Amino acid sequence: MSGSGAAKPPPHVRLLWILGLARTVLLWERIWSRFWKVAALAGLFVSIALLDVLPFLPGWLHVLVLAVFAIGLAIVSRQGMAGFRQVDVAMARHRLERDSGLRHRPLTALADRLAADGGNRAVLDLWRAHLARTGRAVGRLRLRIPSPGVASLDPFGLRAAVFLFLVIALAASRGDAADRLERAFIPRFDGSLGGPLSLDI
């Protein structure tokens, strides 16, 4: 037994592991491509809340802003959910075959079963040789990094602008984030303001 390094996992264990990873990557791509608008709109609201602007609005306008954001989130969430499908093993196999540059769908062949051999030894031997050859492809499997393609859906880079706005708002809150978020959800109708408005960047 050689002690030069850790033993490689068996091919079937590696296949199960990388199939699970491929399903995770595909699921992340699908979620992010469908729900990036939800994240952007939520990030925009949190940024405005952290800047502590909403408590200085009249109560009716504060309520209107909350309603607009709530309706907007409901709309983009519904758009993201429309036609959303879970990722199955077949999709994961196809992704691995594509990323690895494998032809003739070898991973699909590994999952196939011989319909009937009729007792023919030659057919069985040929089938086993085919499975062995495709099984060696497991060692060449590669999975590319996630690429949800949001750039084509957001050509103006709005998500980057929201992220930058959020970073500025977090810096401006300076340890008062929880209180500012709470005030953002509580409109004031008594005509009083939350204090002098200031913003240090």
Side-chain angles (χ1 to χ4, degrees):
M1 180 182 295
S2 175
S4 58
K8 292 183 179 180
H12 68 279
V13 174
R14 171 178 163 78
L15 178 59
L16 290 176
W17 179 83
I18 200 167
L19 276 174
L21 185 59
R23 292 185 70 176
T24 302
V25 167
L26 284 169
L27 183 61
W28 164 250
E29 290 177 346
R30 188 161 294 184
I31 290 175
W32 185 237
S33 64
R34 287 180 168 270
F35 295 100
W36 71 270
K37 292 181 182 179
V38 177
L41 194 57
L44 179 60
F45 175 79
V46 171
S47 301
I48 294 174
L50 291 178
L51 292 177
D52 214 20
V53 175
L54 296 179
F56 295 90
L57 300 177
W60 66 269
L61 185 55
H62 192 161
V63 171
L64 180 60
V65 172
L66 291 176
V68 168
F69 272 102
I71 293 172
L73 283 172
I75 291 174
V76 294
S77 297
R78 184 172 181 177
Q79 290 174 346
M81 289 297 297
F84 182 84
R85 293 187 306 157
Q86 289 290 338
V87 178
D88 57 25
V89 178
M91 295 176 183
R93 290 195 195 105
H94 182 62
R95 172 61 178 265
L96 284 173
E97 290 166 343
R98 187 189 67 187
D99 287 0
S100 304
L102 300 178
R103 298 180 179 181
H104 309 302
R105 309 293 297 273
L107 298 183
T108 302
L110 284 174
D112 289 341
R113 295 292 180 269
L114 190 61
D117 57 57
N120 191 325
R121 178 65 178 247
V123 172
L124 283 175
D125 290 342
L126 184 62
W127 178 252
R128 292 186 182 121
H130 170 65
L131 291 182
R133 183 171 59 255
T134 54
R136 287 192 290 272
V138 174
R140 303 195 303 272
L141 292 177
R142 299 293 181 269
L143 183 63
R144 296 179 181 175
I145 61 175
S147 179
V150 178
S152 61
L153 303 174
D154 181 24
F156 299 104
L158 296 179
R159 65 196 189 283
V162 171
F163 177 75
L164 180 60
F165 191 26
L166 182 59
V167 171
I168 294 173
L170 284 169
S173 64
R174 292 189 303 180
D176 192 31
D179 292 336
R180 294 188 180 200
L181 286 172
E182 182 180 356
R183 288 195 292 270
F185 286 98
I186 305 176
R188 304 176 69 92
F189 294 96
D190 55 4
S192 61
L193 297 178
L197 178 63
S198 65
L199 175 62
D200 298 326
I201 300 178

